[in-house]
Amino acid sequence: MIGRREGLAEMRLLAIEDEPELGVLLRTALERGGFAVDLAANLAEARDFLAVVGYDAAILDRALPDGDGIALLREIRRSDTSLPILILTARDGPEDRVLGLDSGADDYLVKPFHMPELVARLRALLRRPNAALGITLTLGNLALDTVGRHIRINAQDVSFTPRETSMLEILLRQQGSVVVREIMEQRLYSLDRELGSNALEVLVHRLRRRLQEAGATPVIHTIRGVGYLMAEPA
Ligand code: CA
């Protein structure tokens, strides 16, 4: 059984796999591993997801109904060199491995594989120091270590839930500018999961209260009809 790891909770993955049974297995194993997962069955769907959602990593099958996953890998690498990408394939020739890695993949797994190995490899990719995740975000007396998911307020460790931590991270990454509500929702929840209409408000309300109780100086502002903005008081 794969244990849920708080440290990686709410990381968002895009899995691109056209075999329905394998897709379901992938999603189940990864969700159990603490990831939020969007599943695309072909290159076109994957492009749609990538256009609107910011992912922490992608799992890419090679043989897809509308082309080779390598084509998408090359497209992604033109604009994003840091997104960790793991290639899945039934092909096992050494030349295929080289092609995948030369095209910008970070890792390579040959089918059939064991789900725990996939989850372990993704965790390893997400822990790499050059991943965009390895930084401490600060604002006022608040600091968030994005790898360990530790929050410090006024130099004291404070414990937040994974979802509160994720929201805080999104706000801190865009501190001083508005995070559009829809973008916030996309980053916090899988696209195909039903979300109560006031779920975001409830989460913001709770996060505000927790920050206030812990004596944080930054404030979350609601920009009516647009989204949320985190800043130090003027
Ligand atoms: Ca396939």
Side-chain angles (χ1 to χ4, degrees), residues 17-19 61 63 111:
E17 169 58 59
D18 61 314
E19 292 163 46
D61 185 27
K111 294 177 185 174

Side-chain angles (χ1 to χ4, degrees), residues 63-229:
L64 293 161
D66 52 353
D68 189 335
I70 295 284
L72 180 64
L73 175 59
R74 291 194 172 120
E75 278 172 42
I76 294 171
R77 283 292 175 253
R78 264 178 237 137
S79 58
D80 184 344
T81 52
S82 68
L83 178 73
I85 299 176
L86 185 148
I87 297 268
L88 292 181
T89 182
R91 306 167 207 205
D92 193 18
E95 64 285 353
D96 284 317
R97 261 170 226 272
V98 171
L99 178 61
L101 298 175
D102 272 359
S103 307
D106 297 279
D107 201 357
Y108 195 102
L109 207 50
V110 176
K111 294 177 185 174
F113 55 87
H114 294 292
M115 287 296 164
E117 180 173 8
L118 175 66
V119 174
R121 289 213 192 180
L122 278 168
R123 286 197 175 123
L125 284 182
L126 288 164
R127 292 220 171 90
R128 278 191 188 171
N130 62 346
L133 311 153
I135 54 169
T136 298
L137 303 165
T138 59
L139 180 63
N141 65 359
L142 173 69
L144 192 163
D145 159 12
T146 60
V147 173
R149 314 282 286 165
H150 302 302
I151 295 167
R152 288 172 77 81
I153 294 173
N154 235 343
Q156 300 290 315
D157 287 318
V158 184
S159 165
F160 281 24
T161 67
R163 191 141 281 174
E164 289 164 357
T165 304
S166 295
M167 174 176 261
L168 197 54
E169 178 175 348
I170 295 164
L171 289 164
L172 283 172
R173 281 187 189 279
Q174 251 176 271
Q175 54 185 263
S177 57
V178 181
V179 179
V180 175
R181 190 199 156 85
E182 287 74 22
I183 301 287
M184 176 74 87
E185 281 177 348
Q186 282 165 8
R187 300 228 50 174
L188 285 174
Y189 308 96
S190 273
L191 288 183
D192 50 2
R193 229 175 255 167
E194 273 303 315
L195 190 62
S197 60
N198 65 345
L200 206 58
E201 279 77 12
V202 172
L203 184 59
V204 171
H205 180 78
R206 213 170 56 211
L207 184 57
R208 261 195 200 119
R209 201 186 58 221
R210 307 236 18 222
L211 288 169
Q212 205 179 357
E213 282 168 1
T217 52
V219 178
I220 303 170
H221 302 278
T222 300
I223 312 299
R224 215 165 274 286
V226 184
Y228 303 98
L229 177 151

